[in-house]
Amino acid sequence: MTAADPDRLLAADPDRVLAAVCRSMADLVAVARSPLRRVSLRVGDIAVEMEWPREAGRAAPAGGEPPSAAQPEAYHHLCAPMVGTCYLAPEPGAKPFVGEGDLVEAGQQVAILEAMKLMTPVEADRAGRVALILVSDGTRVEYGTPLIALIPADAS
Amino acid sequence: MTAADPDRLLAADPDRVLAAVCRSMADLVAVARSPLRRVSLRVGDIAVEMEWPREAGRAAPAGGEPPSAAQPEAYHHLCAPMVGTCYLAPEPGAKPFVGEGDLVEAGQQVAILEAMKLMTPVEADRAGRVALILVSDGTRVEYGTPLIALIPADAS
Amino acid sequence: MTAHGMFRTVLVANRGEIALRIVRACREMGIRSVAVHSTADRDSSAVSAADEAVCIGPEPARDSYLNIPAIMEAASRTGADAIHPGYGFLSEDPDFAEVCDKEGVVFIGPPASVLARLGDKSSARALMADAGLPLLPGSMAPLASMEAAKRAAGRIGYPLMIKAVAGGGGRGMRIAREPGELAAAYTEARGEAQALFGDGRVYLERFLPSARHIEVQILCDGHGNAVSLGERDCTVQRRRQKLIEEGPAPGLPSEVLEEIRRAAVHGARAAGYVGAGTVEFLLAPDGRFSFMEVNARIQVEHPVTEMLTGVDLVQEQIRIAAGHPLEFGQDQVHPRGAVIECRVNAEDPARGFAPAPGVLACFSPPAGPFVRVDTHAFPGLRVSPAYDPLLAKVIVWAPDRARAIGRMRRALAEFRVSGPGVATTTGFLRRVLDDPSFRDATHSTSLVDELLKADSGD
Amino acid sequence: MTAHGMFRTVLVANRGEIALRIVRACREMGIRSVAVHSTADRDSSAVSAADEAVCIGPEPARDSYLNIPAIMEAASRTGADAIHPGYGFLSEDPDFAEVCDKEGVVFIGPPASVLARLGDKSSARALMADAGLPLLPGSMAPLASMEAAKRAAGRIGYPLMIKAVAGGGGRGMRIAREPGELAAAYTEARGEAQALFGDGRVYLERFLPSARHIEVQILCDGHGNAVSLGERDCTVQRRRQKLIEEGPAPGLPSEVLEEIRRAAVHGARAAGYVGAGTVEFLLAPDGRFSFMEVNARIQVEHPVTEMLTGVDLVQEQIRIAAGHPLEFGQDQVHPRGAVIECRVNAEDPARGFAPAPGVLACFSPPAGPFVRVDTHAFPGLRVSPAYDPLLAKVIVWAPDRARAIGRMRRALAEFRVSGPGVATTTGFLRRVLDDPSFRDATHSTSLVDELLKADSGD
């Protein structure tokens, strides 16, 4: 994280921040009897503005395709329970705890985390198939870093 | 705006303040008999603005009734050309320059503004019918304060 | 360390405004900074401002900001050669200071042994009594039993206060105004002390219902130099939580204040203190002062002293920890004018100062001449109920106290904070500023209670 | 006037950051404030902060901020008993000061006669020469013709500068480096003077290509008391527009600075000055200094002096205008530490500092210890191309200049401004701060030109 990032802060969590503002905006738009050109709303340091194209009617989506029904199920991520170094095998050169495509049981060890010379096993908190291993052996991870993407057993 | 206003407003539940401001806005929009072009409202740190396209009628939702041919054109406002006190008659007790319903010519005097003991005539910048006189005699006005709402001659 | 004997990288083991404050100090000194943070503080100002950031745990502080192994692991991986603990959290934890020592990382604060001696209020009292500082009548050793408490209370006299040996910062205390209240107060204080500090030991001290809270900022380097940077008056408190701090202490005889400042430096020397610290005293209406405790860390209200003296206390902490001698002596400390600090908390005074966190839809702090605002907040911030409710410290300077009050009223009037469910103490702070006894500086630590009592009365 | 001899209501005849600055001063003093504004500034910070606001005209300044009848009408209707003109606009207009006098409203500034004498650069030079202040070689009276210019130039020597008699603030000037450039420079300067000030008279002065710009802040009350609040170094200029100001002037012999400060007070007394003002000098590399002009108003860079001395210059202006004597003498003025101010303008250094106004999508100024930001901007503000491009002044204090530079670098790095089409001078300011000659304080008024020349060269 560098000093150049605070811009990002202002965009943080916009749904929650602007919930009240946007709701009010929506109310205003609803009450307008004819198509609007522009609505702007400012509350303290928050400013929202909506503007429609000059020919709003023509820009409306004409019979667009429905969203695909074949959307893939979301992965379940196994995340680092602490800051540390992530090892994917019990010791250097040994066979990894799991490989992509493997089935794992709930409670099965999938990695090991080292922090301050303390080794902590990382276990799957549910059964599933390993879709992706997201870190390489020896990666330094933070608390919450996703390590393994699992397709939960009950979803496949 | 006094110093006490924003404090009081923000001391209260800000959600409620925002809601109240937007409700007032919605009321304004609802009460406007003719299509609006722009409404803006500011209360302390809250500012809201709505703007409609110049040809609002054309963008009306499909399937709706066609815009009434008898829809009155937006008013043309004669505004104060300077900060001062607005007098509607040449002298106290005299007959006002114009009354509601009067026809005025371009260049005809409709009011007089006094600022620093200097009298400046306010003239109609176009011909039309006086729809509303928006200030009372002796009102202190700012630059740009609307004084008289005119229905332009070319629109009637 | 660099060739100039300065740290290359300082890890900031804290959050909120003080973490941002430390990151800024590092940047001005050319030191790389690392912000460690919980998942809730991922988008915090300190994280944005720091050169590097490491997520060390989930929102609860015990799993993140109090998680020593996680912090040490973050220090190790980022190559930090020093850790600044801020205030609260691990800042006065001797175990943490010791772990830092062992890992070869400099703890920016006093040595672990000094933290241990001063953190135990009982041993701190004994130390200061030996050094000749005046103490309130009280039990020197922790109380062994209710019977011992009763005996000590009979000797000391009422009203008195039962305090946690491991306490500090106004927590783990109970007042007994008369013998009939002793048993309940003793039991409650023990229970709270056990719950808060994991150490149920308590001791007794005479309670002064209307005193002034005077504290002295000291700086001690590792070369035997110790200076006082003047006192702060923190008399405006609610349940021993400070609301308004100021300096110099108004309406008090200068010879008493001079004596208090000297006592503070003497006590710090006796404790073998190193770093920035605060020695707290109670000043009775009769002009007699008593040692209360040492806050062995940077303090929330340190900007008061900074604006009075021009000394950057956080930078001084860092220089001292790097082994540098103080660059100035006592005769080069010249406080100027008057400074007031108001703590703006996300609390609702109308509901007994209950925490009132939430998302800040609007956050627009005051600014302009002689106004400083230390804050980590910004529009859109989610103020977490898991942490301290401090939103911002507003600090103003003026040539004299009356003008400082006028300036603070202006600054607080400019402050805009709002959001669903969010309330702040701003309005209440303005009431205190307008109170005649505060304006005359005839107030005592009971001022806030009196104001609140007036509200609830008819 | 109140019973305490203070104004009840002050009308602020200005806009932008200085209008907000004055409104804040009024509020701290318990004075009601009225902001007059153009239609473009309806939502300005000053309008929001003031107790009352009056729209006096459309966006062009000549119809609003320079519209004397409209301002006087607003003063009359709001019951203002004084008008603060800020800087620029009507602040140094003797006619405006006279109209105020006639209408019984106090003009917060020097008397109209003093404004007239100091506003005419030719008569100001004559006045200061009579008072014994050193001047650059030049023509005392305005030049009657090109022939007169040639004769004077022969006497004075090259390089020289042709300056507008009615000029000031770096406008209406042309340089002639050798005889061949004189005719063109003379004609251009006359034309620009006529266009800008409605007064085409010009005079000649020796031009010092590498000098230091030193100015002295003075305060004179209406009771014969006059003090200097120390000097500011405004050497970092681009086309005679100041970019960075600092105090005290670095790297110069203290006896020269002392002499300059004394000369400033002496000159102000000779002029019959009342109020806050600035006497500008050029300091040649040989240590000789010359009077340049008096800025008979509060100055953009006044915060430099405020942070050094703790004196609130705007409040002092108001007190002096209300007839109060100064509350302190010369021996009570004790500047402390070092202060730097950077002007952040909405200009694009990559396009020859062309104005780069627009809507501010993001505006997040720096804060924290010893950093002051004077700004009227906020997210969502439309920066109008009709007015001065100043977005914010960032001012930092530190015990010494090296630390002040470090602090300013930190502050500028924190500053976030963005918006469609918006550019700022922040990056360029950091380049100046990092320039070795600036760091060593061996720079001169040509520093910025040299930096820009280095850019365009290969």
Side-chain angles (χ1 to χ4, degrees), chain D residues 9-343:
Chain D
T9 303
V10 168
L11 181 142
V12 182
N14 214 301
R15 64 175 301 285
E17 64 88 19
I18 194 65
L20 178 60
R21 170 77 186 81
I22 298 162
V23 166
R24 281 174 166 153
C26 290
R27 175 134 309 174
E28 291 178 6
M29 297 174 81
I31 300 171
R32 211 169 132 264
S33 57
V34 177
V36 296
H37 62 90
S38 72
T39 48
D41 286 333
R42 220 176 260 292
D43 297 320
S44 75
S45 299
V47 167
S48 309
D51 294 296
E52 198 173 342
V54 180
C55 181
I56 52 166
E59 184 162 29
R62 66 175 176 281
D63 299 323
S64 47
Y65 297 107
L66 293 170
N67 183 344
I68 296 181
I71 291 169
M72 297 314 295
E73 173 69 19
S76 152
R77 82 161 47 173
T78 56
D81 41 10
I83 296 183
H84 197 305
Y87 52 68
F89 296 131
L90 296 169
S91 61
E92 294 176 283
D93 183 342
D95 296 343
F96 181 55
E98 223 171 276
V99 170
C100 289
D101 280 357
K102 261 189 212 135
E103 298 294 328
V105 179
V106 175
F107 174 80
I108 300 177
S113 60
V114 173
L115 285 179
R117 207 178 317 148
L118 295 175
D120 181 307
K121 298 305 156 196
S122 203
S123 74
R125 271 169 65 84
L127 189 158
M128 293 303 171
D130 284 349
L133 266 65
L135 268 64
L136 281 175
S139 62
M140 197 59 72
L143 300 164
S145 65
M146 174 79 82
E147 268 318 299
K150 277 185 185 162
R151 275 195 307 275
R155 181 169 52 78
I156 298 161
Y158 289 82
L160 46 73
M161 196 181 280
I162 300 103
K163 295 171 111 173
V165 167
R171 304 191 315 159
M173 297 182 178
R174 281 293 182 285
I175 293 163
R177 293 183 189 275
E178 38 155 14
E181 293 179 2
L182 182 66
Y186 176 81
T187 311
E188 281 175 35
R190 278 192 66 95
E192 187 174 320
Q194 187 65 46
L196 285 174
F197 313 112
D199 176 353
R201 291 176 305 151
V202 296
Y203 65 103
L204 285 185
E205 206 176 65
R206 185 64 178 269
F207 172 60
L208 295 180
S210 72
R212 291 277 286 276
H213 177 117
I214 308 291
E215 60 182 32
V216 179
Q217 176 69 53
I218 50 142
L219 276 181
C220 306
D221 65 19
H223 306 268
N225 304 304
V227 296
S228 129
L229 295 177
E231 79 284 354
R232 295 183 290 258
D233 185 325
C234 311
T235 299
V236 180
Q237 307 187 348
R238 181 187 160 273
R239 301 199 179 163
R240 284 164 290 284
Q241 298 294 327
K242 296 163 188 168
L243 299 182
I244 298 179
E245 299 101 341
E246 61 178 308
L252 296 175
S254 59
E255 56 278 9
V256 172
L257 293 173
E258 179 57 38
E259 211 185 325
I260 292 178
R261 291 192 291 263
R262 266 202 309 265
V265 173
H266 179 69
R269 280 189 194 279
Y273 202 85
V274 177
T278 299
V279 189
E280 295 194 338
F281 297 90
L282 270 190
L283 180 63
D286 63 5
R288 281 157 59 173
F289 64 90
S290 312
F291 166 81
M292 297 298 287
E293 64 183 43
V294 177
N295 296 131
R297 56 164 195 267
I298 192 74
Q299 212 137 344
V300 175
E301 58 269 28
H302 75 276
V304 171
T305 302
E306 293 188 325
M307 288 190 87
L308 287 170
T309 60
V311 174
D312 187 315
L313 287 167
V314 175
Q315 292 198 20
E316 291 301 329
Q317 286 189 296
I318 295 171
R319 276 191 207 99
I320 289 170
H324 296 212
L326 279 178
E327 291 169 344
F328 52 88
Q330 189 65 62
D331 55 348
Q332 281 147 289
V333 176
H334 301 294
R336 180 162 88 179
V339 173
I340 302 178
E341 170 179 285
C342 281
R343 300 194 193 187

Side-chain angles (χ1 to χ4, degrees), chain A residues 59-104:
Chain A
E65 280 178 81
S68 164
Q71 223 159 17
E73 199 70 14
Y75 291 133
H76 172 70
H77 286 114
L78 305 180
C79 298
M82 60 195 296
V83 63
T85 304
C86 180
Y87 296 107
L88 299 173
E91 55 193 77
K95 186 174 170 287
F97 292 107
V98 292
E100 289 179 4
D102 286 2
L103 283 168
V104 296

Side-chain angles (χ1 to χ4, degrees), chain C residues 277-300:
Chain C
T278 299
V279 189
E280 294 193 338
F281 297 91
L282 270 190
L283 180 63
D286 63 6
R288 281 159 57 172
F289 64 89
S290 314
F291 166 81
M292 297 298 287
E293 65 183 44
V294 177
N295 296 131
R297 55 164 196 265
I298 192 74
Q299 213 138 342
V300 176

Side-chain angles (χ1 to χ4, degrees), chain B residues 23-131:
Chain B
R23 205 161 46 238
S24 306
M25 191 77 171
D27 289 349
L28 289 175
V29 172
V31 86
R33 300 224 186 110
S34 63
L36 284 157
R37 191 165 128 58
R38 204 169 71 86
V39 184
S40 80
L41 177 58
R42 177 161 167 245
V43 182
D45 274 358
I46 299 183
V48 57
E49 182 172 327
M50 297 174 77
E51 187 171 335
W52 284 259
R54 280 188 192 278
E55 302 95 339
R58 257 177 39 191
E65 278 181 84
S68 159
Q71 209 163 27
E73 199 70 14
Y75 293 136
H76 173 70
H77 286 112
L78 305 180
C79 298
M82 60 196 296
V83 62
T85 305
C86 182
Y87 296 107
L88 299 172
E91 53 194 78
K95 183 172 170 292
F97 293 108
V98 292
E100 290 180 0
D102 286 2
L103 283 168
V104 297
E105 298 296 309
Q108 181 180 334
Q109 183 169 358
V110 296
I112 196 161
L113 268 185
E114 182 198 340
M116 302 310 292
K117 289 154 207 149
L118 204 82
M119 298 295 180
T120 308
V122 181
E123 297 169 354
D125 59 351
R126 65 174 68 178
R129 185 180 298 278
V130 173

Side-chain angles (χ1 to χ4, degrees), chain C residues 219-223 225-227 311 316 320 323-329:
Chain C
L219 276 180
C220 307
D221 65 17
H223 306 269
N225 303 303
V227 297
V311 173
E316 291 302 329
I320 289 170
H324 296 211
L326 279 178
E327 291 170 344
F328 53 87

